[in-house]
Amino acid sequence: MSTVRISDDALAIALGADELAAAFEQAGATVERTSSWGMHWLEPLVEVDGMGFGPATPADVPAILAGTSDKGIGAIADHPFIKGQQRLTFARAGKTRPLSLEDYQATGGWSALTRARAMDRADVVAEVIESGLRGRGGAGFPAGIKWRTVMEAAGDEKYVVCNADEGDSGTFADRMLMEGDPFQLIEGMAIAAHAVGAGQGYIYVRSEYPHAIAKLDKAIELAAQHIAPFQLEVRVGAGAYVCGEETSLLNSIEGKRGEVRAKPPLPALEGLFGKPTVVNNVLTLAAVPHIMAEGGSGLYVRLGIDRSKGTMPIQLAGNIKHGGLYETAFGISLDELVNRIGGGTASGRPVKAVQVGGPLGAYLHPSEFHLPFDYEAYAGADALIGHGGITVFDDSADMGAMARFAFQFCAAESCGKCTPCRIGSTRGVELIDRIRTGGKVMADAVEGLPQMHNARKTGRTREEELALLNDLMEAMQFGSLCALGGFTPYPVRSALKHWPEDFG
Amino acid sequence: MQTSELDAIIAEHSGRKGALLPMLHAVQQAYGCIDAKAEKAIAEALNLSRAEVHGVVSFYHDFTEAPDPRPVVELCRAEACKARGVEALVAAAEAAAGERVNLKEVYCLGLCSMGPSARVHGKLYAGLDEAELVKLVTTA
């Protein structure tokens, strides 16, 4: 009897992959647990001799084994969703067992690290710069330049820190990578450590990802001899979204409140425990083994458009028919991603809005769907690509409520260090509530107090409230210490601009 | 809370760099909370003030100062799950939870392509409809 392959990714498990695997074993089949192909609407997806069946339930087991199942999707590798992709970072997705060193080595694992270690560190950094790789966490800073700063920094101790605090809604590529191909991340970190001269690394994972944490712990243990003398440790977050901001993440590893630090000094010069530190996102570090393979950087820089080079693992999420992971070169349009690849909404209703880049990203209107996936093109349209998450909303979405939620989320997750974010977010919720109910009729209790000399004693019209909201957002955007307060205006402004009718 | 157990947790982690968070996780896991007594012992072991330790405990959502013995159902209410209609399920889930179950909102379990999603006793669920969510809450 042939081997049955089922993913052990957390999403597949949430949809019943464990129960399905048990049912196959009970039926006498040999089950192999692999990483996920990333076609989430088909999970749990069963692979038998390269042919796919999904979404499968334990009731489908006999038919799948007998070859009579009507859930067949044909050869998985030939599925249009997979065929259209250019997978570099996710090259092993669906194909290997996450914790099998044998599988990793057989698919080119550790060769980039061996090559990098035989090179001068300056040459390694030069190749990463040449590849054009930019930080995949959202800011898009050139990774090689950051590495060079750390390499040139004086210091007896240096650190490599992986930011795996993937808190943005609509993103799951870090999780899939850590669960599906943990050795690749470890190899990328070991290369970074060699390039900058670091002896210790930390992977800071959010506590909401227990599957990823377990996989990484095990993978680090298994890979210890391959990466020695480099030491690696997983540190678990504690439910604070703001710890995805690099300086607040460093404070958290140090055992402090996850408050943002003012920059400068840059973490590259004074980072973890005050030492020069590379802080990179999971996807940035996981792209490194491909770039450091022979000729890899030259290949990488030829992909993409303008200053956005290489590939981006894009995450199709929210109300989308074919959700999942789609890695492709930069430059693809939203229309292509949402309508052709994603198949429109899961509910079958028209697409109303798409939020790109997580809770701090702008809501894009279908009239903007021609935008190419590119850091600068999005910035030019007052949007951001962030970590590459795309959340689709159908026409039942209330964009006024989503704008309010942006402020509410910021208020709940603000670290509290700077005033625009800490106070502004709460004032924003109140303002949106007032705008949605037609403006304030009378001055409130505080404004009416005799000592509030400068406060006006009459109510404000809707237009005046909107002007106040714009002032508030300007203060937040330019006055906040980090992107949490600084980017919260993006979803609000875009919602106001495209869907004013949702604001009462 | 047994002092010897607490001492063992503190001893296990106190040699590490940046020991406070791993230590707090272990205490929270073992006792379901980090109370004043634990804060004091940790502060002494790490040569911190109690205010510093309390500041960290109160900063993070994962740490609580008092235990809550109720079963927890974590329901994701972030954008992607909202786009898939989680808000329409909340009222029924709250009614089913009553005072017996701690229905906690979380921002993102990372299952954003197949929401609404939830986590109960460490087990993940995706693609929930109202009946499934209510069942999760009532059997929690």
Side-chain angles (χ1 to χ4, degrees):
Chain A
M1 190 175 280
S2 43
T3 307
V4 172
R5 293 156 70 90
I6 298 169
S7 167
D8 66 353
D9 177 270
L11 180 98
I13 292 173
L15 293 167
D18 284 349
E19 291 78 4
L20 184 66
F24 271 109
E25 268 166 1
Q26 203 139 43
T30 310
V31 178
E32 226 173 50
R33 301 303 292 269
T34 62
S35 50
S36 167
W37 282 94
M39 296 193 283
H40 289 169
W41 74 99
L42 293 172
E43 293 286 6
L45 178 64
V46 179
E47 183 180 346
V48 187
D49 297 328
M51 305 303 277
F53 302 89
T57 65
D60 296 317
V61 170
I64 291 174
L65 290 176
T68 57
S69 172
D70 59 356
K71 290 205 173 157
I73 58 157
I76 297 180
D78 292 336
H79 193 284
F81 191 86
I82 300 295
K83 255 200 139 160
Q85 301 194 43
Q86 195 154 14
R87 286 189 162 173
L88 302 178
T89 304
F90 279 86
R92 294 186 186 84
K95 298 175 184 166
T96 58
R97 292 166 293 177
L99 290 174
S100 163
L101 275 171
E102 197 188 324
D103 287 7
Y104 189 65
Q105 226 141 0
T107 47
W110 310 119
S111 59
L113 178 61
T114 308
R115 179 171 173 271
R117 281 187 169 171
M119 290 163 67
D120 192 58
R121 61 182 44 159
D123 295 334
V124 175
V125 170
E127 283 199 13
V128 175
I129 293 176
E130 186 204 322
S131 75
L133 176 67
R134 294 169 69 171
R136 296 284 184 252
F141 188 81
I145 307 285
K146 195 185 267 185
W147 289 22
R148 189 172 65 192
T149 310
V150 178
M151 176 185 75
E152 288 170 353
D156 48 340
E157 263 181 287
K158 295 177 186 179
Y159 296 99
V160 174
V161 172
C162 172
N163 183 346
D165 195 55
E166 186 180 51
D168 288 354
S169 174
T171 62
F172 42 77
D174 292 355
R175 180 184 64 69
M176 285 184 65
L177 196 285
M178 291 187 283
E179 290 182 23
D181 199 0
F183 295 128
Q184 186 174 219
L185 173 61
I186 292 169
E187 184 175 2
M189 289 187 75
I191 293 171
H194 166 69
V196 305
Q200 172 77 46
Y202 292 97
I203 307 176
Y204 185 90
V205 191
R206 60 202 297 261
S207 59
E208 289 87 344
Y209 283 178
H211 295 86
I213 294 164
K215 285 259 181 68
L216 285 173
D217 277 337
K218 187 76 189 143
I220 289 170
E221 198 186 311
L222 290 169
Q225 49 169 9
H226 291 275
I227 59 169
F230 179 55
Q231 303 263 334
L232 201 48
E233 201 184 304
V234 174
R235 283 296 167 97
V236 180
Y241 173 77
V242 74
C243 287
E245 197 282 334
E246 60 176 0
T247 59
S248 129
L249 184 152
L250 296 175
N251 276 340
S252 189
I253 297 181
E254 290 180 13
K256 299 175 184 153
R257 291 163 66 88
E259 282 180 353
V260 174
R261 298 178 187 171
K263 286 192 271 193
L266 291 172
L269 298 172
E270 286 180 43
L272 189 61
F273 304 111
K275 307 291 183 189
T277 304
V278 170
V279 186
N280 278 146
N281 176 254
V282 174
L283 300 179
T284 316
L285 290 162
V288 168
H290 173 80
I291 287 166
M292 286 311 298
E294 191 65 53
S297 57
L299 195 77
Y300 204 77
V301 76
R302 280 198 292 278
L303 298 170
I305 57 167
D306 294 333
R307 292 198 285 136
S308 304
K309 300 299 187 191
T311 60
M312 182 74 194
I314 296 168
Q315 300 121 79
L316 303 176
N319 197 334
I320 191 161
K321 194 171 169 197
H322 299 153
L325 186 107
Y326 198 88
E327 181 175 352
T328 186
F330 281 96
I332 192 167
S333 73
L334 263 182
D335 179 53
E336 190 74 357
L337 284 167
V338 173
N339 293 322
R340 194 182 61 79
I341 297 158
T345 62
S347 59
R349 301 171 69 100
V351 175
K352 178 169 183 174
V354 169
Q355 187 178 35
V356 184
L360 307 174
Y363 287 101
L364 294 164
H365 188 270
S367 65
E368 298 170 291
F369 276 17
H370 60 278
L371 274 179
F373 214 76
D374 165 71
Y375 289 103
E376 277 70 33
Y378 271 63
D382 288 327
L384 50 137
I385 65 173
H387 189 249
I390 291 186
T391 304
V392 180
F393 292 79
D394 72 10
D395 64 352
S396 66
D398 176 351
M399 302 313 290
M402 294 315 295
R404 183 185 191 276
F405 178 70
F407 278 126
Q408 193 194 337
F409 182 75
C410 180
E413 298 297 337
S414 174
C415 82
K417 184 156 176 170
C418 72
T419 319
C421 173
R422 183 184 69 242
I423 311 273
S425 50
T426 300
R427 293 292 92 84
V429 172
E430 295 164 359
L431 262 168
I432 294 214
D433 282 346
R434 292 209 300 266
I435 290 167
R436 295 211 335 143
T437 52
K440 190 162 66 168
V441 184
M442 285 293 291
D444 65 28
V446 173
E447 286 171 320
L449 292 172
Q451 58 267 54
M452 298 292 284
H453 304 292
N454 295 327
R456 53 188 282 174
K457 308 300 176 201
T458 55
R460 277 181 293 269
T461 64
R462 187 170 188 275
E463 281 59 42
E464 286 170 325
E465 296 278 24
L466 282 170
L468 198 57
L469 178 64
N470 277 319
D471 278 358
L472 173 75
M473 290 196 288
E474 197 179 302
M476 286 179 75
Q477 183 175 357
F478 298 106
S480 297
L481 262 181
C482 81
L484 180 50
F487 285 16
T488 293
Y490 279 81
V492 180
R493 271 203 204 104
S494 56
L496 258 174
K497 179 179 165 195
H498 296 298
W499 301 276
E501 67 277 12
D502 285 2
F503 288 80
Chain B
M1 190 179 290
Q2 293 295 308
T3 313
S4 57
E5 271 182 81
L6 183 62
D7 288 346
I9 291 173
I10 290 173
E12 191 194 335
H13 294 285
S14 54
R16 302 169 78 176
K17 271 192 153 180
L20 185 53
L21 246 67
M23 207 179 270
L24 293 177
H25 270 300
V27 173
Q28 176 79 37
Q29 172 84 29
Y31 303 108
C33 72
I34 299 159
D35 62 12
K37 189 182 151 198
E39 278 182 5
K40 183 165 177 278
I42 291 167
E44 275 167 16
L46 296 180
N47 197 23
L48 297 168
S49 70
R50 281 180 65 188
E52 283 171 299
V53 176
H54 184 71
V56 173
V57 170
S58 57
F59 182 87
Y60 294 98
H61 299 305
D62 285 5
F63 304 138
T64 54
E65 288 159 43
D68 186 344
R70 296 179 296 166
V72 183
V73 173
E74 292 168 298
L75 182 65
C76 180
R77 292 179 64 182
E79 285 87 348
C81 282
K82 281 187 198 294
R84 295 182 75 97
V86 69
E87 294 303 314
L89 314 180
V90 170
E94 275 173 352
E99 289 299 307
R100 191 188 69 83
V101 175
N102 178 10
L103 185 68
K104 206 167 125 188
E105 61 186 59
V106 290
Y107 294 124
C108 204
L109 297 169
L111 311 174
C112 314
S113 49
M114 292 300 287
S117 49
R119 182 165 62 177
V120 189
H121 303 306
K123 194 164 160 37
L124 291 166
Y125 301 88
L128 294 168
D129 60 24
E130 188 177 296
E132 287 165 340
L133 178 59
V134 166
K135 193 173 161 215
L136 279 185
V137 172
T138 47
T139 56

